[in-house]
């Protein structure tokens, strides 16, 4: 029963990620900093879930979870410094979401 609840929670996280990524690449929201920040907060949430799901002695995997969160923060900082719609920052943010999901799943 508990694994079913976790699977439903994982599916909800995937659907939220797909919606946020769609909004990130939609032309109407390309210049919006709000979508970037929401995506960054979502990656930080995923990294927090992956970090707390690991046992204490899995330090390398915990470091990788922190890396994905810092990678997302780097993407937002890059977007705010350039000031315009940067494709590189969107790709970095997408890679951090994909990496966080892969770490959470495996």
């Amino acid at each position: 029963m508990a694994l079913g609840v976790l699977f439903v929670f994982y599916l909800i996280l995937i659907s939220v990620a797909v919606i946020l990524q769609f909004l990130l690449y939609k032309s109407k929201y390309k210049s919006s900093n709000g979508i970037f920040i929401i995506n960054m907060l979502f990656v930080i949430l995923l990294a927090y879930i992956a970090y707390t799901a690991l046992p204490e002695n899995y330090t390398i995997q915990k470091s990788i979870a922190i890396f994905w969160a810092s990678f997302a923060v780097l993407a937002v900082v890059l977007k705010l410094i350039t000031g315009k719609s940067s494709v590189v920052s969107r790709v970095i943010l997408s890679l951090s979401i994909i990496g966080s999901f892969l770490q959470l799943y495996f």
Side-chain angles (χ1 to χ4, degrees):
M1 181 66 181
L3 289 178
V5 173
L6 287 176
F7 183 69
V8 169
F9 180 66
Y10 191 73
L11 288 178
I12 289 171
L13 287 176
I14 288 176
S15 62
V16 168
V18 167
I19 291 169
L20 286 176
Q21 288 299 299
F22 175 74
L23 291 176
L24 182 66
Y25 288 102
K26 191 171 178 168
S27 63
K28 181 179 178 183
Y29 299 107
K30 279 188 180 179
S31 63
S32 174
N33 290 336
I35 298 298
F36 265 83
I37 293 173
I38 290 171
N39 273 304
M40 180 195 64
L41 292 174
F42 185 68
V43 172
I44 290 173
L45 173 72
L46 287 175
Y48 175 75
I49 291 170
Y51 184 85
T52 57
L54 293 168
E56 187 70 31
N57 59 347
Y58 282 38
T59 56
I60 294 174
Q61 287 88 350
K62 285 187 171 194
S63 300
I64 293 171
I66 293 171
F67 169 75
W68 291 123
S70 62
F71 205 50
V73 171
L74 173 75
V76 172
V77 167
L78 182 68
K79 163 83 165 112
L80 293 176
I81 288 175
T82 59
K84 54 186 172 185
S85 177
S86 175
V87 175
V88 174
S89 61
R90 283 186 274 151
V91 169
I92 291 172
L93 197 58
S94 297
L95 287 175
S96 64
I97 285 180
I98 291 169
S100 294
F101 269 117
L102 287 176
Q103 185 182 11
L104 190 62
Y105 187 72
F106 292 112

